[in-house]
Amino acid sequence: MKLVSSNKVETNRVELVVEIDGETFMKAVNAVYKKQVKSITIPGFRKGKAPRSIIEREYGEGVFYEDALKEIYPEAIAEAAKEGGFELVKDKIDVDVEKAGKDGVTFKAVVTVEPEVEIENYKGIEYKPMSLDVTDEDVDGDIRKTLEKNSRLVTVEDREAQMGDTAVIDFKGLLDGVAFEGGTAENYSLNLGSGSFIPGFEAQVAGHKAGEEFTIDVTFPEDYQEETLKGKAVQFEIKLHEIKTKELPELDDDYVKDISEFDTVEDYKNDVRARLEKERKEEAEADKERQVADKLRELMKAEVPEAMYENQVDNLIEEFAMHLRSQGIDLRTYMQYTGLTEEKLRETYHDRAVSQVEVRLALKKIAALEGISASDEDVEKKYADMAENYNVDIKRVKAVFSAADIAADLNVEKALELVKEAAVAGE
């Protein structure tokens, strides 16, 4: 294969003129012949046994050319792009064959390539650091969440229901005095303050005691899903059977021993503080990275082909589908249950895809400007880490991910670290 010439025909579209030698092309033709001969019948020969020369004499010398070209196009175009210093983007390819025969092939291919990127002033990016302080209130709040997880509901008899309580009620909804479908239930446990019922409903249950029967007035929202109830003023007849409230366990040494590896409340609190401090540092680092990434997008100048965004949307959807499959759910089934269309799903991921593509382009350019290049040792270590994380043999990882792709990812990671280390904390 040889790149004869390259010519920019429009933004991010390049015409490559490629030559493939006769020996390579004839090998491809012969490979196609061996695949297809089994289904070809020629008078005088058993099915699948006709020589290639006989088939070509019967159907024309170029009978296998089109399929042979399809076989060798991808590799030939990829090699030509690499030779020309272009990085291909998965997109439509327009091919025009100028000649094809025993002496070889010459064809033109118009392909989409990654854009030229310009970026300056990427060192010294200013960011606003997050506070790393963990207060006593933070520790108490985290502990309270654990206490609530270990709480139990107890019946309250000596007071009115309050927001935060669980009220066990019967209710019947009336529109113009007539019960409407779906508006009736018995012994329903409603968490007051959860916002799970129509606005105003839960607040009007609060203030009543167990055993009371009363009526409340509410209005359905204008965007309510049931057409006949949109914006309608209705009444609910309520009977309050029981009021329950959360009873939290007492925070003492015995409780700490039951739910942790510690013996005292003080040791437990110290551990909670240490964990929160670690989480806060991780959050701060992630926030710094987000701020730096946003700034890189502002600094970068490039006309990015839409195909790059769409390809990344495809990648994100495939990651989501893999996540669903790990839970035993098929993506198409998930979409049917949720009423999600393919168009809506793609819209959901579009902005994230745009951000990821642009940040990666910026970092690739920075890696090139800084002379960052992953070593063979770096690539091997990455392979080993991936094999360990996926719990598979390293050979399987290498079969899926090329060394070039791994090196490119490592270069981007190193460029990001360079930019983050050079960033400056602002006010």
Side-chain angles (χ1 to χ4, degrees):
M1 192 287 305
K2 182 175 71 173
L3 175 64
V4 178
S5 65
S6 61
N7 178 44
K8 183 178 179 180
V9 293
E10 57 184 277
T11 304
N12 302 316
R13 293 280 284 176
V14 175
E15 180 188 76
L16 306 174
V17 179
V18 185
E19 284 185 356
I20 300 173
D21 63 89
E23 182 181 355
T24 300
F25 182 52
M26 285 300 106
K27 283 183 180 178
V29 169
N30 200 48
V32 170
Y33 155 72
K34 289 181 179 180
K35 288 181 182 178
Q36 297 183 359
V37 67
K38 298 174 184 178
S39 61
I40 296 175
T41 301
I42 298 291
F45 295 90
R46 284 183 296 164
K47 185 176 181 180
K49 297 298 182 180
R52 191 181 112 195
S53 58
I54 299 298
I55 297 173
E56 290 175 338
R57 189 175 65 190
E58 183 74 18
Y59 293 103
E61 184 180 3
V63 62
F64 299 115
Y65 284 7
E66 183 177 353
D67 289 329
L69 287 168
K70 288 179 181 178
E71 291 286 332
I72 60 178
Y73 276 153
E75 183 177 352
I77 292 172
E79 288 185 16
K82 184 177 180 180
E83 186 178 334
F86 304 107
E87 295 206 41
L88 290 175
V89 173
K90 187 175 71 174
D91 196 9
K92 66 174 182 177
I93 299 177
D94 299 322
V95 177
D96 179 24
V97 179
E98 294 187 335
K99 72 168 188 176
K102 293 180 179 179
D103 294 332
V105 179
T106 301
F107 68 91
K108 294 179 180 179
V110 180
V111 298
T112 301
V113 298
E114 289 194 3
E116 297 178 4
V117 176
E118 295 179 12
I119 188 165
E120 297 177 346
N121 303 319
Y122 52 83
K123 290 181 179 178
I125 290 174
E126 186 173 308
Y127 72 99
K128 184 178 180 181
M130 281 180 57
S131 171
L132 298 178
D133 294 337
V134 173
T135 66
D136 291 342
E137 288 76 15
D138 294 330
V139 173
D140 292 342
D142 188 87
I143 291 175
R144 182 172 180 80
K145 290 178 183 177
T146 304
L147 290 172
E148 288 183 348
K149 288 179 182 177
N150 291 286
S151 66
R152 63 191 184 101
L153 287 176
V154 295
T155 300
V156 176
E157 298 177 345
D158 58 348
R159 64 168 174 80
E160 297 86 0
Q162 301 174 355
M163 300 301 278
D165 289 340
T166 295
V168 181
I169 61 173
D170 296 342
F171 62 84
K172 181 166 71 173
L174 304 172
L175 174 61
D176 297 330
V178 178
F180 54 84
E181 186 176 354
T184 301
E186 294 182 353
N187 292 313
Y188 185 91
S189 292
L190 174 62
N191 183 3
L192 303 181
S194 64
S196 56
F197 271 37
I198 316 164
F201 188 106
E202 295 165 21
Q204 293 184 67
V205 173
H208 292 277
K209 288 186 174 182
E212 288 187 25
E213 296 184 28
F214 51 95
T215 300
I216 63 175
D217 296 296
V218 293
T219 301
F220 279 94
E222 292 291 344
D223 60 352
Y224 192 67
Q225 63 267 27
E226 174 55 49
E227 193 70 32
T228 58
L229 296 174
K230 286 183 177 180
K232 298 293 186 180
V234 299
Q235 287 187 324
F236 277 92
E237 295 177 350
I238 310 290
K239 182 172 183 179
L240 178 53
H241 291 292
E242 188 178 8
I243 302 168
K244 297 180 181 181
T245 190
K246 284 183 180 179
E247 184 178 80
L248 274 58
E250 184 179 352
L251 180 62
D252 55 20
D253 291 347
D254 289 337
Y255 168 77
V256 166
K257 290 175 184 177
D258 286 340
I259 59 97
S260 76
E261 60 188 75
F262 302 100
D263 294 326
T264 67
V265 172
E266 182 180 1
D267 289 342
Y268 176 58
K269 284 189 172 183
N270 289 338
D271 181 70
V272 170
R273 183 181 295 277
R275 174 174 55 79
L276 292 178
E277 287 174 346
K278 181 175 181 292
E279 291 175 358
R280 189 68 56 86
K281 287 179 181 178
E282 292 172 351
E283 290 172 10
E285 187 65 19
D287 184 66
K288 176 183 177 180
E289 187 169 308
R290 281 192 295 271
Q291 292 184 56
V292 168
D294 289 342
K295 188 62 179 178
L296 287 176
R297 292 180 63 193
E298 293 178 17
L299 294 171
M300 184 192 73
K301 297 178 182 177
E303 294 185 59
V304 184
E306 186 63 29
M308 292 191 73
Y309 299 141
E310 294 302 318
N311 292 340
Q312 185 60 15
V313 170
D314 291 339
N315 293 337
L316 292 173
I317 291 176
E318 178 55 29
E319 287 178 11
F320 179 57
M322 289 176 63
H323 173 69
L324 289 177
R325 285 198 294 271
S326 71
Q327 298 179 326
I329 306 171
D330 175 75
L331 176 59
R332 190 162 297 280
T333 302
Y334 171 84
M335 291 172 65
Q336 289 174 345
Y337 282 146
T338 60
L340 193 62
T341 64
E342 182 176 349
E343 181 182 6
K344 195 67 179 176
L345 182 62
R346 297 189 72 81
E347 285 178 8
T348 300
Y349 285 108
H350 185 265
D351 288 348
R352 192 194 309 179
V354 169
S355 176
Q356 291 176 348
V357 167
E358 293 178 356
V359 171
R360 186 176 177 86
L361 284 172
L363 291 171
K364 284 180 68 175
K365 182 64 176 180
I366 292 170
L369 291 171
E370 296 291 333
I372 294 172
S373 180
S375 66
D376 292 342
E377 291 76 13
D378 292 333
V379 173
E380 284 301 317
K381 183 178 184 306
K382 185 68 173 180
Y383 274 134
D385 291 342
M386 294 171 71
E388 183 177 350
N389 291 337
Y390 295 146
N391 195 28
V392 297
D393 188 271
I394 194 169
K395 291 180 181 179
R396 289 186 61 187
V397 179
K398 290 183 175 182
V400 176
F401 301 97
S402 72
D405 288 341
I406 295 294
D409 288 343
L410 288 171
N411 291 343
V412 166
E413 291 174 12
K414 291 184 177 184
L416 178 59
E417 288 306 311
L418 180 149
V419 175
K420 283 165 58 179
E421 288 175 7
V424 178
E427 292 295 329

